[in-house]
C-alpha cells in the first residue's frame, strides 16, 4: 500500500536557521509528490509539487528515488514559516495520500 | 476568486444521531473531494466525485456514511448514525480537473459525544 511517512511531529528552529522537514514515501512506481501547508487559522493549501521543481517562499524539495525521500528545505527560516506541513503522494489512481504532518515553529 | 465554501464550521452531536455537511466548490471545478482528518493525522480521502459521478469511494464507511453531488456542483456528506470515532474535521476540496491542484475549504469540525 502506498504510504507517506513524516517522522517528526514537531520541529522547532530559530529564525535564520536552516530547516528540513522530512518525508519518506513507499511506492513502487513513479510517484507524484507534494507539500501542503496550513498556516494558523487558514486553509490547507498547496506549497509545491516535485514535478514543478520550483522554489516557493524559499522552500525547495528534491525527490530522491534512491532514498525514497522528498524532504522540504529552507536555508533561512522565518517566523511566518511557522505552520503545519503535510507531505502527500498521488497514486496512479489519482488518490492523494497525506502524511500525518509536521508542526514547524520558528522562534524569533 | 471565491474559495471552497463549507458549512457548518462546527457541529456537536451525540452518538447515534445524524449529521450532514455541505460543500460548494469553486465555480467550474469538475472534481470534488471529501476528506476526514482525525486529530493528529493527515487528511484521508473518503470520496471523490467527477462532476456528479463517484470516482473513488473505497475508503468511505458505507454502512454509515453517504455523499452525493446531484447536479455536479454542491455536495453533501451525511453520517447516520454517528459514532464517537467519527469526531474529526471534514474537509471538502475541489480541483479544475482530476489530478490538478486541490483547493481546500475551511472544514467542518465534528464532535461526537
Amino acid at each position: 500500500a502506498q504510504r507517506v511517512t513524516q517522522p517528526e511531529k514537531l520541529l522547532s528552529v530559530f529564525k535564520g536557521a536552516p530547516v528540513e522537514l522530512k518525508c519518506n514515501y513507499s511506492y513502487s512506481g513513479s510517484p507524484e509528490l507534494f507539500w501542503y501547508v496550513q498556516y494558523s487559522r487558514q486553509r490547507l493549501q498547496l506549497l509545491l509539487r516535485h514535478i514543478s521543481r520550483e522554489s516557493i517562499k524559499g522552500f525547495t524539495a528534491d525527490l530522491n528515488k534512491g532514498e525514497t525521500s522528498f524532504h522540504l528545505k529552507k536555508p533561512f527560516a522565518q517566523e511566518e514559516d511557522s505552520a503545519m506541513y503535510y507531505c502527500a503522494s498521488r497514486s496512479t489512481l489519482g488518490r492523494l495520500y497525506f502524511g500525518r504532518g509536521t508542526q514547524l515553529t520558528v522562534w524569533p | 476568486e471565491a474559495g471552497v465554501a463549507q458549512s457548518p464550521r462546527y457541529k456537536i452531536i451525540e452518538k447515534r444521531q445524524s449529521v450532514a455537511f455541505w460543500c460548494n466548490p469553486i465555480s467550474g471545478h469538475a472534481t470534488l473531494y471529501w476528506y476526514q482528518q482525525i486529530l493528529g493525522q493527515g487528511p484521508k480521502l473518503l470520496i471523490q466525485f467527477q462532476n456528479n459521478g463517484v470516482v473513488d469511494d473505497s475508503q468511505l464507511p458505507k454502512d454509515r456514511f453517504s455523499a452525493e453531488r446531484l447536479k455536479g456542483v454542491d455536495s453533501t456528506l451525511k453520517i447516520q448514525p454517528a459514532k464517537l470515532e467519527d469526531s474529526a474535521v471534514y474537509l471538502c476540496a475541489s480541483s479544475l480537473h482530476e489530478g490538478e491542484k486541490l483547493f481546500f475549504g475551511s472544514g467542518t469540525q465534528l464532535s461526537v459525544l
Side-chain angles (χ1 to χ4, degrees):
Chain A
Q2 191 163 354
R3 186 172 295 173
V4 174
T5 304
Q6 293 180 253
E8 302 141 330
K9 202 170 180 180
L10 303 170
L11 183 62
S12 294
V13 299
F14 285 102
K15 177 183 172 182
V19 63
E20 180 181 69
L21 293 95
K22 291 183 169 52
C23 172
N24 290 91
Y25 65 91
S26 61
Y27 186 59
S28 58
S30 295
E32 191 177 358
L33 291 156
F34 308 82
W35 277 97
Y36 277 79
V37 61
Q38 187 166 25
Y39 300 101
S40 179
R41 287 186 287 278
Q42 292 188 30
R43 304 175 183 203
L44 189 60
Q45 58 186 286
L46 178 67
L47 180 62
L48 54 80
R49 52 197 301 178
H50 90 273
I51 59 174
S52 301
R53 301 185 65 81
E54 58 198 342
S55 174
I56 303 292
K57 300 184 178 183
F59 284 97
T60 58
D62 291 318
L63 177 62
N64 186 324
K65 291 187 178 181
E67 296 182 356
T68 60
S69 68
F70 187 57
H71 302 328
L72 183 68
K73 300 176 185 178
K74 186 169 182 177
F76 307 103
Q78 302 300 314
E79 289 178 69
E80 55 265 30
D81 296 328
S82 295
M84 193 75 174
Y85 291 81
Y86 295 94
C87 183
S89 70
R90 192 196 303 279
S91 70
T92 52
L93 297 177
R95 186 187 304 166
L96 261 186
Y97 292 87
F98 284 88
R100 65 172 180 175
T102 297
Q103 177 66 51
L104 173 65
T105 302
V106 181
W107 300 104
Chain B
E1 62 181 10
V4 176
Q6 287 188 249
S7 67
R9 283 299 308 272
Y10 306 93
K11 189 74 178 177
I12 301 173
I13 61 173
E14 294 186 346
K15 61 182 179 184
R16 291 188 289 273
Q17 285 187 322
S18 301
V19 64
F21 314 125
W22 174 82
C23 173
N24 182 245
I26 293 173
S27 178
H29 280 196
T31 313
L32 185 147
Y33 314 77
W34 282 103
Y35 282 86
Q36 179 193 57
Q37 187 172 19
I38 293 171
L39 188 65
Q41 299 180 20
K44 182 183 87 171
L45 181 68
L46 291 176
I47 188 167
Q48 177 180 335
F49 291 94
Q50 182 69 20
N51 297 308
N52 61 347
V54 175
V55 172
D56 184 350
D57 64 356
S58 57
Q59 298 191 102
L60 187 73
K62 298 180 188 63
D63 57 332
R64 299 183 300 105
F65 286 65
S66 64
E68 59 183 15
R69 194 185 183 199
L70 291 175
K71 296 183 180 178
V73 181
D74 294 6
S75 177
T76 55
L77 175 70
K78 296 179 182 177
I79 308 175
Q80 181 179 11
K83 292 186 175 181
L84 297 176
E85 58 261 36
D86 298 332
S87 294
V89 175
Y90 290 84
L91 295 166
C92 179
S94 69
S95 62
L96 191 59
H97 300 293
E98 190 176 4
E100 297 197 11
K101 176 180 174 180
L102 267 65
F103 292 84
F104 282 86
S106 299
T108 295
Q109 185 167 332
L110 173 68
S111 297
V112 183
L113 306 177

